Amino acid sequence: MTITKSYVAKSVEQMRPSGIRKFFDLAATMDGVVSLGVGEPDFVTSWSVREAAINSLERGFTSYTANAGLIELRQEIARYMSDRFHVHYSPKEEIIVTVGASQALDIAIRAITDPGDEIIVVEPCFVSYAPLVELAGGRAVTIGTTGDTGFKLQPEQLEAAITDKTKAILLCYPNNPTGTQLDRDDLEAIAEMVKKYDLLVIADEIYAELAYDQAHTSIASLEGMRGRTILINGFSKGFAMTGWRLGFTCAPEEISSAMLKIHQYAMMCASTPAQYAALEALQHGMGDVESMKKDYRQRRNYMVQSFKEIGLDCHLPGGAFYVFPSIQSTGLTSEQFAEKLLLEEKVAVVPGSVFGAGGEGYIRCSYASSMSQLQEAVKRISRFIENNTK
């Protein structure tokens, strides 16, 4: 019998594939590519963390954990959030261990979104935000930030985007792809709008440990914001544990209970060995985090200075491990620049346009690579600029 119709859901059929993958797939077919595209640490997970996972397997800890995660890990997360970011959560009722921060974002959005609800998404941003809102039946309302303001959201922009259908705002800081960090004053101004219009904040703080010039401030720690914030964090970036797929949510009990319902049916629980690894990371891994951060800071400074020397304007990112230089002087679009650079000089970067309209005219370059790789990339990009500038 011939199938005459599509069985794919329209919401999925209409969804654009990730723009990042296009360049990764092309680069994978080429030899000698220097990649500045991958958004993950180049460091290996600390040995003590790997050993904790191995030990858990040797002791036979291979069963499910509680849906919300090992209570010992949730207690350690609560201590970590209190000590590090001055925000306090109940391990039993307000913390869920998830399969990466990506799953945490998914259940957070689904737990609060009714059909037609609007979620404000600040761009440039990670590529999954708007699709997750749409899959949950909501409408993603995007706000574009610009290089003129260091890609910081302005309160008047936020207020102009709020309607009677607005449910929440989704923030990521330090930001992927721009590296922009929001300080306390920036967050206070946003928080006033959130409280004024009775909104929620989904705060993606996965890069919180990678804040270079000042301590990270969680918006949940501000007066009146703990009860309005779903905080997303995890172990991938700061602890170099991307492949372990372990994140967590911190939220008021009502919202946390709703997220746990979705988590129970969709995922059951996070990997047991990974949870024991994360427990070790929180208890004994902060020294390694600081060591990695020191190296990232050195690389950041090198990349920003290098781009300026070859004629590309580049703001100093306050966190994460990305620089976001402007390539507007070349006359090329972001996608044209990235494709030509890959084909002509074998350097892989991500066009800024894939992160939203505000990213056009920029490229994302990860400095989670060795200094020798970064130096080689800069040499090739400099040559490319000389050959392609109008």
Side-chain angles (χ1 to χ4, degrees):
M1 181 178 176
T2 302
I3 297 176
T4 59
K5 64 179 180 180
S6 172
Y7 291 93
V8 177
K10 285 185 172 56
S11 59
V12 177
E13 197 171 54
Q14 295 167 2
M15 187 184 304
R16 292 180 301 174
S18 169
I20 297 176
R21 298 310 317 173
K22 172 183 175 181
F23 291 91
F24 286 176
D25 292 344
L26 179 58
T29 67
M30 302 169 64
D31 294 325
V33 172
V34 178
S35 179
L36 304 183
V38 180
E40 67 173 334
D42 61 313
F43 297 103
V44 175
T45 305
S46 302
W47 167 244
S48 69
V49 175
R50 288 179 278 153
E51 189 175 41
I54 294 168
N55 187 49
S56 75
L57 292 171
E58 290 178 339
R59 295 172 66 187
F61 297 159
T62 58
S63 301
Y64 294 129
T65 69
N67 294 132
L70 289 168
I71 186 59
E72 303 98 313
L73 177 56
R74 284 179 281 149
Q75 288 168 340
E76 200 61 37
I77 290 170
R79 182 200 61 76
Y80 166 75
M81 294 304 296
S82 176
D83 292 350
R84 199 76 167 166
F85 306 114
H86 314 296
V87 60
H88 311 289
Y89 292 98
S90 165
K92 291 184 178 180
E93 288 87 21
E94 297 181 318
I95 295 174
I96 303 172
V97 180
T98 60
V99 182
S102 294
Q103 194 226 348
L105 281 164
D106 184 33
I107 64 174
I109 292 169
R110 284 200 276 170
I112 66 168
T113 305
D114 285 316
D117 281 348
E118 294 178 351
I119 308 294
I120 294 174
V121 176
V122 183
E123 295 180 334
C125 68
F126 185 51
V127 294
S128 73
Y129 292 168
L132 287 176
V133 172
E134 303 291 342
L135 284 173
R139 177 172 174 259
V141 176
T142 59
I143 300 177
T145 58
T146 67
D148 294 339
T149 61
F151 296 102
K152 289 188 175 185
L153 174 65
Q154 304 302 300
E156 58 271 20
Q157 286 182 290
L158 176 55
E159 188 163 34
I162 295 171
T163 72
D164 58 359
K165 295 182 179 180
T166 306
K167 177 70 72 73
I169 175 174
L170 204 169
L171 286 176
C172 174
Y173 63 100
N175 179 265
N176 174 11
T178 67
T180 293
Q181 176 65 307
L182 300 179
D183 60 27
R184 179 173 287 272
D185 289 342
D186 298 322
L187 294 171
E188 289 280 10
I190 294 169
E192 287 306 309
M193 289 295 170
V194 170
K195 290 183 283 189
K196 178 179 178 180
Y197 291 98
D198 195 20
L199 305 178
L200 294 172
V201 173
I202 301 174
D204 182 354
E205 301 185 15
I206 188 64
Y207 293 97
E209 283 294 347
L210 302 180
Y212 303 117
D213 304 315
Q214 57 186 325
H216 178 81
T217 298
S218 174
I219 196 169
S221 69
L222 303 183
E223 184 177 356
M225 288 303 296
R226 183 190 180 281
R228 294 183 178 276
T229 302
I230 304 173
L231 196 153
I232 309 294
N233 208 321
F235 299 89
S236 292
K237 310 300 184 178
F239 294 88
M241 295 177 66
T242 50
W244 299 82
R245 307 311 304 132
L246 212 66
F248 59 87
T249 64
C250 299
E253 183 177 357
E254 179 188 20
I255 296 174
S256 195
S257 295
M259 290 191 293
L260 186 59
K261 287 183 189 177
I262 302 169
H263 179 67
Q264 286 171 336
Y265 289 119
M267 199 58 64
M268 185 69 75
C269 67
S271 161
T272 300
Q275 291 189 57
Y276 281 104
L279 183 62
E280 168 65 21
L282 290 177
Q283 290 176 337
H284 303 112
M286 295 310 300
D288 290 331
V289 171
E290 290 301 318
S291 178
M292 288 186 282
K293 186 162 71 172
K294 181 179 178 181
D295 283 353
Y296 286 138
R297 184 187 289 111
Q298 180 184 6
R299 298 174 191 179
R300 174 200 66 166
N301 294 342
Y302 169 76
M303 291 298 286
V304 170
Q305 183 63 33
S306 295
F307 279 127
K308 288 182 177 180
E309 288 175 355
I310 63 178
L312 298 183
D313 184 45
C314 186
H315 82 286
L316 183 69
F321 38 59
Y322 311 106
V323 288
F324 204 60
S326 170
I327 50 87
Q328 295 171 32
S329 61
T330 67
L332 300 171
T333 68
S334 295
E335 188 158 339
Q336 288 170 341
F337 185 99
E339 188 165 355
K340 282 173 66 68
L341 178 64
L342 180 59
L343 295 175
E344 294 178 16
E345 294 290 348
K346 294 187 177 182
V347 177
V349 299
V350 182
S353 54
V354 308
F355 302 104
E360 178 54 64
Y362 296 83
I363 55 171
R364 190 192 78 174
C365 303
S366 168
Y367 49 86
S369 296
S370 67
M371 279 298 293
S372 62
Q373 285 285 90
L374 297 178
Q375 288 165 350
E376 177 62 25
V378 167
K379 182 175 74 174
R380 297 185 189 186
I381 294 171
S382 178
R383 186 167 58 217
F384 177 81
I385 295 296
E386 290 177 9
N387 294 334
N388 285 275
T389 300
K390 288 184 176 180

